[in-house]
Amino acid sequence: MRILLASALTLSLLAGPSSPVAAQDKEKSDADYIRSMELKWTESYKQRQVAMLSTLLADDFVITVEDGKTYSKTGYISHSAEPGTKVEVAEMSDLKVRMHGNTAIVTGAYHERGESGGKRYEYHDRFTDVWMKTGGKWQVVASHYSVPVK
């Protein structure tokens, strides 16, 4: 009985310290995945890859853009696919991913340049994206872009 109890105690002591490490490794892995999905989203937007955008965005996705307008998933994808808009540059920087269980909060800077309706445009924004993992799949549920005050 003592040997069994001692073995159980030893195993629990050995397993205990590895649990926080395993959790940290999972968070880092999830954060790296989210970061890669942010880049995939940006590239899909730039290339007007509607099918990819559709898989990345949750059905109840909502985005608030620079002028305060909000779009649903359908509205955002329709806006992104407009033939009169050509995105030449779409790049992110200063990406920070904070994990909270099955939720990830991403903040960063965004730069976009292109042409819309025959007029040149350029944005330098800050953004916040919220990703959630449901049914084993990460998707964006909310996004907010704003222009920093100078």
Side-chain angles (χ1 to χ4, degrees):
M1 181 70 167
R2 276 188 177 186
I3 293 173
L4 184 59
L5 185 58
S7 295
L9 181 59
T10 302
L11 284 174
S12 68
L13 289 173
L14 290 174
S18 67
S19 295
V21 171
Q24 287 174 346
D25 287 347
K26 176 153 178 25
E27 272 194 17
K28 183 180 180 329
S29 173
D30 284 344
D32 289 344
Y33 179 77
I34 294 297
R35 186 174 281 103
S36 73
M37 290 296 95
E38 282 282 343
L39 298 174
K40 182 175 265 189
W41 179 12
T42 300
E43 189 59 26
S44 298
Y45 168 76
K46 181 180 175 186
Q47 300 298 326
R48 292 194 203 130
Q49 296 172 336
V50 172
M52 178 57 70
L53 289 172
S54 185
T55 66
L56 295 173
L57 308 177
D59 288 340
D60 60 348
F61 169 80
V62 65
I63 186 170
T64 304
V65 294
E66 299 84 356
D67 64 3
K69 290 180 184 170
T70 59
Y71 295 95
S72 65
K73 177 179 180 173
T74 304
Y76 173 76
I77 290 174
S78 295
H79 173 75
S80 300
E82 287 178 1
T85 301
K86 181 178 183 333
V87 178
E88 297 164 1
V89 173
E91 56 193 10
M92 301 175 126
S93 60
D94 193 28
L95 283 179
K96 292 183 177 60
V97 180
R98 296 185 341 252
M99 300 302 302
H100 300 278
N102 286 338
T103 304
I105 311 296
V106 182
T107 57
Y110 179 74
H111 173 227
E112 181 176 323
R113 183 176 64 235
E115 187 174 310
S116 180
K119 294 183 180 180
R120 305 284 306 152
Y121 72 88
E122 187 164 14
Y123 297 119
H124 290 276
D125 301 340
R126 295 294 302 175
F127 72 90
T128 302
D129 292 335
V130 180
W131 292 74
M132 289 186 71
K133 187 176 190 177
T134 54
K137 183 177 181 182
W138 286 101
Q139 289 186 309
V140 186
V141 295
S143 184
H144 184 272
Y145 281 72
S146 61
V147 178
V149 177
K150 293 181 181 184

